[in-house]
Each structure stands twice: as C-alpha cells, then as structure tokens.
Amino acid sequence: MANEKKREVFAWMKKADEDLRGAQVVMEAKPALIEIALFHCQQAAEKAMKAFLTAHDMPFRKTHDLDELAVACEKIDASLKDVLDPARDLTVFAWEFRYPGSSSTPSEAESYDAIALAEAVILAVRKHLANMAE
C-alpha cells in the first residue's frame, strides 16, 4: 500500500477508534449518555468500513448507511459478512437521537451491545488491514 493511502486509511481508523472511545467514555457518565454513545457506535463502524474501502481503492459516496458500506466491503471480502451483518443495525443511530422528538432512549444494555458491534467491526477491519501488510 502506498504511503499516502496508508496515511488516509490510518486517519479513518484513528477516527473510528476515537468514536469507539467516545461511546465508551459517555457510558461512564452518571447518568450514562446513551443516545450519544449510540451515535458514536454508528460513527465508529462507518469509519472503519470506509477505511477498509479506502485500503482497497473502492470509492464510496458520502453516506451514513452501514448496509450500503457493508455490501461494498463484502464484495471485496465475503468473510466480513458475519461481523458486518449485525452492525448494519447501527445505521439508524446516525440520526435517530440527534434531534428533538425522537424515539424513546434504548437501555444501557443495548448501548453496550452497540459498543460491542462497533468494536467487532473495528477489530475485523484492523485484522484484514494487517493481513494486507504481510
């Protein structure tokens, strides 16, 4: 992978890691900031998928749709399907709680499940990227 592309992929992964950390940190608040955590989970998964696509020179449009991004990733590596399928459910958190009048807040348990999904996506992408470097 060329140095410039490596820097771009690294930048996407750094942002994914920061969003995951943000989700974890806001869950430690008293009371937990569940809606903000869910937003950051969606963002973390999105940015990891975009890192994967960038590493493979696969263009993507400006979107928060994890289903669309997952389909593109799975065309490159079908083995990611088991990790990306459940993460598709995070898409709604890109906007669901960002404005007044939204649905009722999910439970803390659902937020921790979302954190686990985002973390799984990041780990799977990181593993794939490491294999590319070998």
Side-chain angles (χ1 to χ4, degrees):
M1 194 179 327
N3 283 340
E4 187 174 323
K5 183 167 43 168
K6 278 184 184 178
R7 281 191 293 275
E8 187 177 357
V9 170
F10 177 79
W12 279 113
M13 290 304 293
K14 183 175 187 288
K15 291 293 185 181
D17 289 336
E18 288 172 355
D19 275 312
L20 179 62
R21 183 167 179 259
Q24 294 164 334
V25 167
V26 298
M27 285 303 294
E28 294 172 10
K30 301 295 180 215
L33 299 170
I34 293 170
E35 295 173 357
I36 295 171
L38 293 170
F39 170 74
H40 284 292
C41 289
Q42 184 282 333
Q43 289 287 291
E46 176 185 324
K47 290 168 185 163
M49 289 183 207
K50 288 178 176 179
F52 179 87
L53 294 171
T54 299
H56 289 279
D57 297 316
M58 180 65 67
F60 49 87
R61 68 185 188 93
K62 188 175 182 179
T63 184
H64 298 300
D65 186 344
L66 298 184
D67 185 51
E68 179 180 325
L69 295 169
V71 166
C73 291
E74 291 164 6
K75 285 181 182 176
I76 297 165
D77 186 347
S79 72
L80 292 172
K81 186 171 179 55
D82 289 342
V83 173
L84 300 184
D85 264 355
R88 287 169 156 91
D89 293 339
L90 299 174
T91 294
V92 69
F93 301 133
W95 65 83
E96 180 68 22
F97 303 109
R98 303 305 293 166
Y99 305 98
S102 58
S103 308
S104 60
T105 302
S107 68
E108 282 191 34
E110 289 174 279
S111 293
Y112 286 115
D113 289 345
I115 289 170
L117 288 174
E119 187 171 30
V121 171
I122 290 171
L123 291 173
V125 168
R126 186 166 277 118
K127 180 179 177 183
H128 181 88
L129 294 174
N131 289 340
M132 284 180 68
E134 293 175 355

